[in-house]
Amino acid sequence: MPKNYAMAGKNFENFFRRDPVTGKYIYKNISGLRHFPLKKLLIEKYRLKYEEAEELTSFLLPMLKWRPSERPSAAEMLKHPWLNMPNDYNFKMSDL
């Protein structure tokens, strides 16, 4: 989230505090929160194949941009290669 978006909210102080060591703003009530890249999450937790995780990530991330003007249109997203990937589901999740 852009810093100016977060700091402009009237409830900013209810959720964030400045870390005395780093000077960065951190969540007040959530300790140990780490950034976990989407592709890594899809591969490690949801066991997607690398190629599919790569394509799905490239499909999802543009739609999650904060500024709507930077997001692709629905028509643009319909042309994304992930939507045309061949199905390769000849296994059961229990086999993984």
Side-chain angles (χ1 to χ4, degrees):
M1 169 187 303
K3 187 176 179 180
N4 61 334
Y5 278 26
M7 295 181 78
K10 66 179 180 178
N11 293 315
F12 177 77
E13 297 292 328
N14 293 334
F15 298 102
F16 297 95
R17 66 177 173 81
R18 189 181 286 272
D19 185 305
V21 176
T22 64
K24 295 181 178 181
Y25 286 99
I26 57 174
Y27 292 106
K28 275 187 174 179
N29 299 319
I30 304 172
S31 61
L33 184 65
R34 298 179 293 121
H35 171 72
F36 204 83
L38 179 59
K39 183 169 49 173
K40 186 175 179 180
L41 178 75
L42 292 171
I43 293 169
E44 293 181 11
K45 182 170 182 169
Y46 296 102
R47 298 182 178 180
L48 267 64
K49 295 176 184 169
Y50 180 85
E51 297 79 22
E52 187 170 10
E54 180 113 359
E55 288 294 332
L56 181 54
T57 300
S58 73
F59 178 74
L60 293 174
L61 288 180
M63 294 187 290
L64 298 174
K65 294 196 182 238
W66 280 99
R67 293 180 179 89
S69 62
E70 295 177 1
R71 295 180 199 147
S73 69
E76 291 171 321
M77 294 310 297
L78 285 171
K79 298 174 188 171
H80 195 278
W82 180 75
L83 294 173
N84 296 316
M85 285 185 74
N87 294 335
D88 186 16
Y89 301 111
N90 55 1
F91 58 89
K92 297 177 198 165
M93 286 302 286
S94 60
D95 293 340
L96 299 174

